[in-house]
Amino acid sequence: MSTVHPANRLTKDPMSTRKQIAVPPDARKRDALDTTTVKGNSVVKVNEKKFGKSIESDSTKPPRRQYRNLKHRPRFSQLLVWTVMIVSPSLFIVLAILTVRLNRTPADSYKGFAITEAIKGGVTAWPIIFAAIAAQSLKQLASYKVERGVRMITLEQLTGSHSVGAAIKQPLFLRRFDWISIALLCLWSFSPLASQAMQRMSYLDYVYKNDTTTVAYVDTTIYNGFFENTSQSETEQALFIVSLLAPNATQASPMDTWNSTKIPLLNTISDGWSPVQANITSEFSSLLGIVFERPDNFTSDNLYQADDSILEVVMQSSYLTTSNCTPQITMSKQDINRTISQSGAFLSESPSGTLPMSLAVFGTPSQTPDGQFTQLPAILTYSSVIDTASFSGTDGVVPQYSYMACNMTQTFVDSQVSCYGDQCRVVKMRPSRNVTALSNFTPSSHPAFIDSFVNVTSPTTQGSYSFIEQYITDPNFLLETGDESNIPGRTNVNITEVPLPDFQQRLSLLINTYWQAGFAPNFQTAGLSSTEFSTISFKFADAIYFESYYAYITSAGWVAVLFISSIILLAAGIASVFLDVHTIGPDVLGFANSMLRKSKYMDLPEVDGTLSGADRARALADVKVMMQDVKPDSRVGKIALGTVSLGTRRLTTGRLYR
C-alpha cells in the first residue's frame, strides 16, 4: 500500500491528456515529495520528482518522535541508587558507635572479633563508597545549578572533581584557587582521613580493672613462740643460712629468694608517709620478707591475661632494731659475765666459744586490757673473741673479747606494698598508728631466742668463727672465691675493725632475719594459703586490686574523625537526593555523547532529545566516533569529533590545523 502527498491527489493520471490541476506553491518549492511504503518490517522511502517518478530504497527511518513534558518520575534504579547513598554512610556511623562500645572488651570476645572484621572490610569499602557518593553529589549539584545559570568555571570545578587526585590537580590545571577549590579539597580530604581512622581507632593493649579484695599476711607484731618449739629449729636455720648465701642482687632486692616482700628500715621521725625510692638501694630490716596471700587470679597463664596486674595493700609489721651501742671495749669472759649478771641476764655461747651474747629485759611487762604487753627496755650484749689463738691455753693466755652493749627495741611500721604482677616492693612507710607496742622479749622467751641465734651457724671447733661474726665483718664473705681463708671457720675476723654504724645495721639485719623465720617457717618458701591459717598467726588487710587483661582500646579521637566523615558523607548523599528530585532536565553532564549533540560532523540516527546521558549512550552504543581532520583537502586542516566513514582522515603530525 502506498500513500501520496495530498497535493498529488488533485492531479490527473499522468497518462491522461486532460489538463492537470496546479500544484500548491509550497509543494513546488520542494525538490521532491516524500512518500513511504511499508513492506513487512522495512520502510521504503520514495522520492517523487516534479516530472516523472523514481523510487529508491533507503535505510530504515527512525520511528516518529515522541514528545514529553519535563516532570521528574524516579525509576527503580534511581530509587536503588538513592537508597545506597543514604544507607552506606549510615553503616559507617553504626560502625563508629560499635567501636566506642567495644572499648575495654576482652580480646577473646566474639564481639571484638566481629567488629574488627567489619573494620577491615570498612577500610577497603570506604574510599570506594566515598568517591561514588561525593562525585555523584557534586555532579548532581552541577546539574541543579546549570538549570538556574552558573559560571562555566564553577561548572568545570564541580564536574571535574571526582577523586582526591582530581581535587588536588584541578586548581593547577584551571589556574584558579578560590573558596570552591578549598571546599572541594576539604571534602575529599575526608576520604583518606576516615580510612586512617578505621585503621587506628581500635587496638589491643593491656588494661586494668580495679576491684577490692582482702589480703591475709603473716602477723609479725605478736609474740614469736617459734623458739619454744625446738623441733622446728632446723627449718628456721635452713631459711637463715640460705638467706645469707643469696647473691648480692637478691639481698639488695625488695623481694627475698622466695618472692616475699622485704620491709625496709624506717629512717624518719615523721608521723606521715615517707616514700621509698625504687632506684635507691634500701636498707632492709630483714633478708626475709613478709609472706602474704595474693588473689587467685592475680597472675594467669591465659593468653589474654597480663602478668602485670597491680595490687596495693597496707600491711602492719614490726622489726627489731639495735641502736646506741657502746664503744667496743676488750674484756675477758669472766668480766663479761660479771657485768651482765647485774641485769639478771646470762651469756649464751656458741659451740666454738667465739660468740657469747645475752639479752636482758628490765622490769616486768604490764598487760593491756586486750591481752597485749607493753614494750620494755632491753639491752643486747654482743661479744666476739679477738684472737682465736688464745683458745690454745698456752702460756696462761686468757681469751679476750670485744664487748658492746646495745639498746634493743621493737619498731612497728605500716608499709604500703605495690605489686606489679609477681614483683612487689614497699613504696612508702610510716610509723604504725594506734598500736600498743608488744613485748616480744619476755624473761621466759629471750634466752631461747639468743641461745638459738648464737648456735645457728657456729662450727663445733673451738676458736672457729661463726657465719654471724664473718657476715658482720664482711657481708660478702660467702660469695668470695679463690681464697681458702674465706671459707667458714676462717681465723681473720676482727670485729673491732668494723665501723659502729655498719655493726649495728648488720647485727639488726641478722637478728631480724632469724626472728622473721620463726613466725611461719613452713610458709616462707611455699606461700600463704587460706586453708592453713589455723596453724599460724595472721592479719587481714583491705587491698585495691587492678586486674590486668588484654582488651580492645578505642581511640576517641580517631572514632570522632570517622564519625564526622560519615556524617558529612551522609549529608552529601541526602543533598544529592534532594537536588536530584528538584532537577527536571536530563542528566547530560559528564557523558561523552553530550559533546555530539547537534554536531554537523556527526551522522547520527534521530534520538529523543529529553533522554539522559546514560539513556542516550545506550541508544548510540554502536556509533563509532573519532577525533579527525574534517578538512583533509585543505591546506590547513580542521579538528573535530565526528563519525567514522569512508574517507575519514586521522590527525597527523607536521600538518597545520585550525
Side-chain angles (χ1 to χ4, degrees), residues 328-336 347 349-350 352-357 382-387 390-391 398-404 462-463 465 469 495-496:
Q328 298 185 32
I329 58 176
T330 302
M331 299 176 65
S332 65
K333 187 184 298 184
Q334 183 178 4
D335 293 335
I336 295 174
L347 285 177
E349 295 189 65
S350 62
S352 63
T354 62
L355 184 62
M357 292 183 64
Y382 177 92
S383 305
S384 179
V385 69
I386 297 176
D387 185 6
S390 59
F391 279 91
V398 178
Q400 296 295 303
Y401 293 81
S402 176
Y403 171 84
M404 284 173 288
Q462 280 285 317
Y465 291 103
E469 294 166 286
I495 298 298
T496 60

Side-chain angles (χ1 to χ4, degrees), residues 11-51:
T11 62
K12 285 187 174 182
D13 189 334
M15 300 301 296
S16 173
T17 58
R18 295 179 182 180
K19 186 177 180 180
Q20 297 181 353
I21 299 176
V23 179
D26 57 341
R28 293 195 189 102
K29 295 179 182 179
R30 296 197 179 102
D31 205 20
L33 297 177
D34 296 339
T35 62
T36 58
T37 302
V38 178
K39 295 182 179 181
N41 294 328
S42 64
V43 179
V44 179
K45 182 178 181 181
V46 179
N47 293 332
E48 184 175 357
K49 302 292 184 178
K50 185 175 181 178
F51 297 102

Side-chain angles (χ1 to χ4, degrees), residues 35 66 136 142 152 170 333 448 471 560 565:
T35 62
Q66 296 180 356
Q136 177 62 26
M152 192 64 191
Q170 200 176 55
K333 187 184 298 184
Y471 186 91
S565 302

Side-chain angles (χ1 to χ4, degrees), residues 102-263:
L102 184 64
N103 191 37
R104 303 179 73 88
T105 301
D108 56 349
S109 67
Y110 177 76
K111 171 183 165 184
F113 171 79
I115 295 178
T116 300
E117 292 300 311
I119 291 175
K120 292 179 181 178
V123 172
T124 302
W126 171 262
I128 301 173
I129 295 175
F130 187 92
I133 296 178
Q136 177 62 26
S137 300
L138 293 174
K139 179 183 172 184
Q140 195 61 53
L141 176 61
S143 299
Y144 178 83
K145 297 288 288 183
V146 82
E147 286 187 5
R148 291 154 178 81
V150 63
R151 292 186 304 167
M152 192 64 191
I153 188 67
T154 303
L155 190 63
E156 290 288 353
Q157 288 175 309
L158 294 176
T159 57
S161 183
H162 50 75
S163 66
V164 178
I168 295 174
K169 70 180 182 181
Q170 200 176 55
L172 302 177
F173 288 171
L174 298 179
R175 297 183 181 179
R176 188 178 186 86
F177 193 78
D178 53 12
W179 69 268
I180 296 179
S181 301
I182 296 174
L184 292 175
L185 285 172
C186 292
L187 172 64
W188 284 103
S189 66
F190 285 103
S191 178
L193 274 176
S195 295
Q196 285 295 311
M198 281 185 280
Q199 297 181 68
R200 302 172 187 271
M201 66 183 181
S202 181
Y203 58 92
L204 289 170
D205 199 358
Y206 289 108
V207 297
Y208 294 96
K209 179 178 67 176
N210 65 314
D211 199 357
T212 57
T213 186
T214 301
V215 171
Y217 62 95
V218 174
D219 187 3
T220 62
T221 64
I222 61 172
Y223 167 69
N224 189 342
F226 168 81
F227 302 102
E228 296 178 357
N229 187 355
T230 56
S231 63
Q232 292 182 331
S233 60
E234 292 183 358
T235 304
E236 191 221 29
Q237 290 177 15
L239 291 172
F240 181 72
I241 294 174
V242 171
S243 299
L244 295 183
L245 293 173
N248 285 340
T250 302
Q251 293 190 21
S253 169
M255 302 179 69
D256 64 17
T257 304
W258 300 279
N259 292 333
S260 295
T261 306
K262 298 178 187 176
I263 304 300

Side-chain angles (χ1 to χ4, degrees), residues 89-90 92-93 126 190 560-574:
S90 302
F92 287 98
I93 295 175
W126 171 262
F190 285 103
V561 171
L562 175 62
F563 190 82
I564 294 173
S565 302
S566 302
I567 291 292
I568 290 176
L569 189 60
L570 177 61
I574 295 174

